[in-house]
Amino acid sequence: MAKQAENSCERLLHVISRHLSCLKDDDKIVRKRSMESIKKELSGKQKTLSVKEYDKLALVLFKPFLKCICDPVERVRELSAEMIHDFVENSSNLEEISSYLIPIFVQRLGLQELLETSEEVRLLEVQTLTLLVSRLQDKMACYLNDMIKILVQTIEDQYPEVKKTSCICASQLARVIPAHFHMQSESLIKPLLRTVSHQHAKVRAVCVKAIGDVVQYGNNSSVNDVISHLAQRLFDQAPIIRQAVVCVAGRWLSELPDRYSFFSKLIPLVMTGLTDELPNIREDAENQWKYAGQKYLDENEKEVKDQLDFAKPYPDHYPSEAVRPTFGCRLLVKRHLYYILPALLRDLDDWVAATRIKSANLLYVLLLHSEESMTSHLEKLFPALKHAVCDEEREVVEKVQKSAELLGYFVKTETWSHVYLPTLSTSPGALLLLAFLIGGSPRTEMSPCLPSLADVLASPDIRYTVNSSDQLWLATCVEYLLMICGDDCIIISYQLFIILLTIQGLAEGDEKILHQVGNCLSRLADIHQVENVHKLYEFHSKHLLQHLKTSHQLWTVHSPEWAVFHTVISNGGPALENLTQEWMPMVIANLHPSKDPNLRLKLFALFSANLNSQGYLDAHLETFLKDGILVNLVWHAGRTESAMRTAVVSCLWALVQAEKLESKTVALQLPQLLNLLLSLLDNDDSTSTRLMVCKVLSRILPAVATSLDDLQKLHKLYPVLLKRMDDVCDDVRLAAMKVFPAYFQSFPSGYNATLYAAHRC
């Protein structure tokens, strides 16, 4: 059989010999046909010839084919490269072949000026080199410099398939000769980094894997050069790229020789994979992460023996939706948190939305692993979280909320409140972040801190905010306090009450805020075990009014204290009946003509709408009429003053309807009131004012008549009324006509018509 195979080899060489001689022909067509004929003759011969005979055949034909690699005709070069690839694949005498092959390939592929112009031929040649590396294994060490020269050029080849194959070749070369590869590995880093952002996803994926092998089996210090590029690939839209990055980083965490120097850079890459949108990537990342954590624990078992032997019990107050990481993973994060956190917080403020989203997701996972170790980093965390909680991306806000709740879970309330509350302000996000911190804190730790927390929230700088978002978040803080601490909040009931009333007064009709405040007041009433919110006013109104009295002389319509006062008077109900001595002096003081006109307008509107039928004014009616009504009925020029007189007369009409002015306690003020009303009826430019004056006169004239000491004042009234019969407004003329019956009834029964005949019309 051996002799027969040898004869077959000889016959094949005899047949091919004529074609070999034609390879030197000047005619390119002849050379091409010769190569095609040789390929046809050699097709399948590796199966029929023995290994020895095939090696003999390869040695004879190999050198002529190598010469054809440089042929000007592309087809000749391509056929030559194909047959050389076959020889490398099937021959057992690769050492001799490689000694001729690699120098030629260096000339064709490894120079700055590329000699091989055909993409297909370059691909065949790189594939041949890849096959050679896989077969020679560690024997490739002597060709390391040549291989690096070639790969530096081919990794950046314009043809994507050449790039892919070159990356595969680089990975294999790194794996087969790690002892020698580290000396030249850095030469491949820059080409790989320029290729990792290629437009083809498959090229990027292979390149990421190549980076993983080149760094792992080469110079580990290259991690510093590649880490930012790998981190950028975590934002790649193609899942295979993100998965490749997670696999590379996970392998480095457990297998990189110098991994302890780079844990702080590698941990974020793997942990980012834990929050990937695809389940298979999350699963791969979790497996890699758990393995790395367990290996780290095994390597440091002696250092953490006490922690393992006396492990803390599972936390009672732990997020229900989260699974607690293994001890090794937690330990790995805690020991490198100091180095990871600053860069992460900077990325949380990045201008690119995708970066902020990834950073927010990573922060949550990081806090979940850090647990109580995050305490020492609160001063860095809080400013970043305050800014991020106002992010325009909803996903960022949701993750920041969960992160803040984790801080509430793991950090003692006394600790985080001691750090956060002194810096609390109405800056964007501050109150919302506080609400989330409260939402994550356990009741057992929150209750002892309630007084200090409530005092800060009830401070003027906080509760007097006019920003609607801050008002909503402040109400949310109160809601969380009531929800978490329940009956314990009774010790801070007053602070919560004034906070809610302040929000209600400053909310300016925002239905969402008012609804939330209403719910909080109802919950607070339930804590006090009373049937409605009005009972809360009975508990706290006196104290609140005494507090407001300290500044009432300085109020304007924009004063937050005025808004609180308005809310108390509007909603206090029966609780205010016994407190008129507290709030009436504040009303009178702010109805003085020298005070803010807009504030006076609102006060009169408040009385007209809320107090005219409650009986609150009975004890102070004369004072209110003298120092509130009369002083503001005096005519002054200006639109504001005109509106003021209309509001005053409207309030007066409301009092008349409530039958307040029939009281004997105000009888002395009625003559002066009549004079002022007559002047308004004759001189005021406002139709509404004249109309309301007519209505008031129709009701009070009988009471006025009994208090007048002579009839002259009655006689002065009818000329003014007659003038109103010519008023431009129909409603005023009708109202004036209705005054006359009351006017005539005001005269005494013994009136001598003859004596006063001069006043007849």
Side-chain angles (χ1 to χ4, degrees), residues 337-357:
L337 182 61
Y338 176 82
Y339 305 99
I340 298 174
L341 196 59
L344 175 59
L345 296 182
R346 285 196 300 271
D347 287 345
L348 199 60
D349 191 29
D350 195 85
W351 67 276
V352 180
T355 303
R356 299 197 303 274
I357 292 173

Side-chain angles (χ1 to χ4, degrees), residues 262-373:
F262 304 108
F263 273 147
S264 60
K265 293 180 171 61
L266 300 178
I267 289 173
L269 297 184
V270 181
M271 295 184 74
T272 301
L274 296 174
T275 61
D276 196 272
E277 58 189 19
L278 295 183
N280 61 320
I281 298 179
R282 293 198 300 269
E283 184 178 355
D284 286 348
E286 186 175 356
N287 293 336
Q288 297 271 10
W289 180 233
K290 287 182 177 179
Y291 178 75
Q294 185 59 46
K295 187 169 184 179
Y296 182 78
L297 188 61
D298 294 340
E299 293 171 348
N300 298 272
E301 186 174 1
K302 292 182 179 179
E303 297 180 25
V304 296
K305 187 177 186 301
D306 290 343
Q307 298 181 50
L308 291 172
D309 294 340
F310 305 99
K312 295 180 181 180
Y314 193 88
D316 294 331
H317 190 69
Y318 200 82
S320 57
E321 73 280 2
V323 178
R324 195 182 191 194
T326 63
F327 179 71
C329 294
R330 300 200 309 272
L331 182 65
L332 194 56
V333 170
K334 290 176 182 179
R335 290 189 172 183
H336 299 88
L337 182 61
Y338 176 82
Y339 305 99
I340 298 174
L341 196 59
L344 175 59
L345 296 182
R346 285 196 300 271
D347 287 345
L348 199 60
D349 191 29
D350 195 85
W351 67 276
V352 180
T355 303
R356 299 197 303 274
I357 292 173
K358 288 283 186 183
S359 300
N361 287 327
L362 177 57
L363 179 62
Y364 172 77
V365 180
L366 200 67
L367 292 177
L368 193 64
H369 284 75
S370 303
E371 298 187 352
E372 72 282 353
S373 299

Side-chain angles (χ1 to χ4, degrees), residues 468-541:
S468 58
S469 298
D470 287 335
Q471 292 168 357
L472 180 63
W473 298 337
L474 182 57
T476 304
C477 290
V478 175
E479 183 179 22
Y480 281 175
L481 285 173
L482 293 170
M483 183 171 56
I484 292 172
C485 297
D487 295 342
D488 295 341
C489 288
I490 199 165
I491 62 174
I492 58 168
S493 175
Y494 172 69
Q495 291 96 320
L496 299 183
F497 180 74
I498 63 173
I499 291 170
L500 293 172
L501 257 63
T502 304
I503 298 172
Q504 191 173 11
L506 297 173
E508 297 183 352
D510 190 313
E511 292 298 329
K512 184 178 180 180
I513 297 176
L514 294 177
H515 177 72
Q516 189 168 7
V517 169
N519 291 339
C520 291
L521 287 171
S522 299
R523 191 184 292 268
L524 190 59
D526 293 339
I527 291 174
H528 279 276
Q529 298 181 354
V530 294
E531 61 271 16
N532 55 50
V533 174
H534 289 296
K535 292 293 182 180
L536 293 177
Y537 286 86
E538 295 181 7
F539 294 146
H540 303 303
S541 292

